[in-house]
Amino acid sequence: MKVTTLIENHTSRRDLKAEHGLSFLIEDGREKILFDTGNSGAVWENGRKLGIRPEDITATVLSHSHYDHAGGLAEGVKRGLSGRLIVGESFFEEKYRIQEEAAYTYTYLGCGFAEDWAEEKFSETAVCRELLQVSRRCWAVGRFKRQNLWEEISKRFVKEKDGVMTFDSFEDEICLVLLLPGKEAVGVICGCSHPGIINMLETVRERFPGKELEFVAGGIHLKDRDGAYREKTLMSLKNMGVRNLFLNHCSGEDLCWGTGKTVLSPGSGDCLFIADK
C-alpha cells in the first residue's frame, strides 16, 4: 500500500509544482484511487513526472466540492480520467465565501462542473452517505456526527440553495479510511475536515470498532484558528490515540502536539509506504 501526495501547497522537489490545493494517490494492490484533484491541471503535470497516468486511475474520490480539491478534475477528464467518481451528499450545491468587507458580495468556491457533466464523463457516479467501499482496503466515510460543538464551522462558508444563500454545514464532506495490513488499525485521509477532525475521527471509530488510529493525513483546517483552538484539537488527537500526523494544505504551520510527537507536512511528490503483510 502506498500513499503519494500529488500536489499540495508546497514541494521540496524542484521538478514538481505546488499550489493552494490537495491531491493524494492511494495504491491498494492494482487499485489506484485518486483522492481530490487539486486546484488546476498542475496535478496532472506532477502525475506525469511521477509516472501516474489518468487512464490508470480506477476511482476518483472528492472530499468536498471546493475548487482547491475538485478544480483539477476537468483537466484530468481531458487527459483520459474516467472510471468511478465518488462524492458526498449535496456535492453539487453551489459553494461560496462571504466577502466580509463588502456587503452582499460572495466569492465562488465551487468545483466548476455540474452533475450531468460528471455523469456523462464517468462510468459511474456514486454518492457516499455513511460508508462506501472503494477498494479491498479502502472505504469512503461521510455523514459525520457533530458531537463536539466546539468544532465550529466558519460562518464565512455559504452555499446557494433555491436561489437563497444559506450556511454551509458541509454535508458533502467525506474522508478515506485505509485498513492497514497486518494491524488492527486504520489510516485516515482528509481533505479539509470542515465538520471538525475530532467529529470525523469519532465517527470513523464508531464505524470501524476495535481499530486504532495509526495516522491522519491531509488537511484539518487549523490555519485560521486561534492558539487555544489549535491546542484543544491537537490534544484531542493525542487523547484519541492517534499515533502519527501527516498534515498539510489548510492545517497551518508550526503545529506541536506533545513530546516526541512530530507533525510531518508531506509536500508534492512525498510518499507514505505501508508494508503489505
Side-chain angles (χ1 to χ4, degrees):
M1 216 172 191
K2 178 181 176 184
V3 180
T4 303
T5 308
L6 293 186
I7 204 160
E8 199 268 326
N9 299 32
H10 80 284
T11 178
S12 56
R13 288 180 49 166
R14 294 183 179 181
D15 61 327
L16 297 180
K17 294 182 178 181
E19 67 179 13
H20 178 71
L22 187 63
S23 180
F24 290 103
L25 182 77
I26 297 93
E27 297 176 70
D28 179 13
R30 295 183 179 179
E31 299 289 322
K32 290 181 170 59
I33 302 152
L34 184 68
F35 182 71
D36 287 347
T37 63
N39 182 342
S40 69
V43 65
W44 303 109
E45 293 301 314
N46 285 358
R48 179 177 58 81
K49 292 175 182 177
L50 293 168
I52 297 162
R53 304 187 305 172
E55 61 267 29
D56 292 336
I57 291 170
T58 51
T60 301
V61 182
L62 299 177
S63 66
H64 61 297
S65 62
H66 277 175
Y67 72 96
D68 50 332
H69 296 262
L73 187 76
E75 181 62 27
V77 168
K78 290 179 184 178
R79 299 184 183 213
L81 182 69
S82 57
R84 191 182 187 197
L85 177 66
I86 298 170
V87 298
E89 296 178 286
S90 306
F91 179 90
F92 293 100
E93 292 179 344
E94 298 289 350
K95 303 263 192 173
Y96 292 85
R97 181 180 61 235
I98 297 173
Q99 291 284 12
E100 296 179 0
E101 66 277 8
Y104 309 111
T105 303
Y106 303 88
T107 299
Y108 179 68
L109 298 179
C111 61
F113 55 87
E115 186 172 7
D116 56 354
W117 177 88
E119 290 176 345
E120 176 188 344
K121 299 299 182 181
F122 289 86
S123 60
E124 177 190 359
T125 302
V127 176
C128 171
R129 292 178 172 85
E130 292 189 352
L131 204 58
L132 182 66
Q133 189 166 14
V134 183
S135 68
R136 184 166 62 94
R137 293 181 295 197
C138 178
W139 295 76
V141 178
R143 283 190 181 173
F144 302 108
K145 296 185 177 181
R146 309 290 175 88
Q147 301 179 94
N148 299 298
L149 299 181
W150 60 270
E151 288 194 296
E152 295 181 351
I153 299 173
S154 173
K155 298 296 190 296
R156 65 193 177 116
F157 294 120
V158 295
K159 61 184 179 180
E160 181 184 357
K161 190 171 184 179
D162 300 326
V164 177
M165 289 295 187
T166 62
F167 169 68
D168 190 353
S169 53
F170 289 93
E171 293 92 344
D172 61 322
E173 185 116 16
I174 57 179
C175 70
L176 289 183
V177 173
L178 307 183
L179 304 179
L180 304 183
K183 297 183 178 182
E184 286 299 314
V186 297
V188 179
I189 300 181
C190 313
C192 265
S193 308
H194 287 290
I197 186 59
I198 307 304
N199 283 325
M200 293 171 67
L201 292 179
E202 286 182 348
T203 303
V204 167
R205 290 203 303 186
E206 182 178 303
R207 296 188 188 152
F208 294 86
K211 299 291 187 181
E212 297 182 359
L213 297 169
E214 180 69 21
F215 70 82
V216 174
I220 65 170
H221 228 287
L222 294 183
K223 67 181 181 69
D224 297 325
R225 301 293 189 175
D226 62 30
Y229 188 101
R230 287 186 178 203
E231 185 176 351
K232 186 170 184 177
T233 300
L234 293 167
M235 184 57 68
S236 297
L237 289 168
K238 182 179 178 181
N239 291 340
M240 294 179 80
V242 178
R243 292 174 180 163
N244 299 283
L245 293 179
F246 306 105
L247 304 180
N248 53 16
H249 182 49
C250 60
S251 300
E253 300 177 354
D254 302 322
L255 299 177
C256 179
W257 72 314
T259 304
K261 294 283 190 178
T262 302
V263 178
L264 300 178
S265 182
S268 301
D270 290 339
C271 299
L272 172 64
F273 290 91
I274 304 164
D276 290 321
K277 292 184 179 180

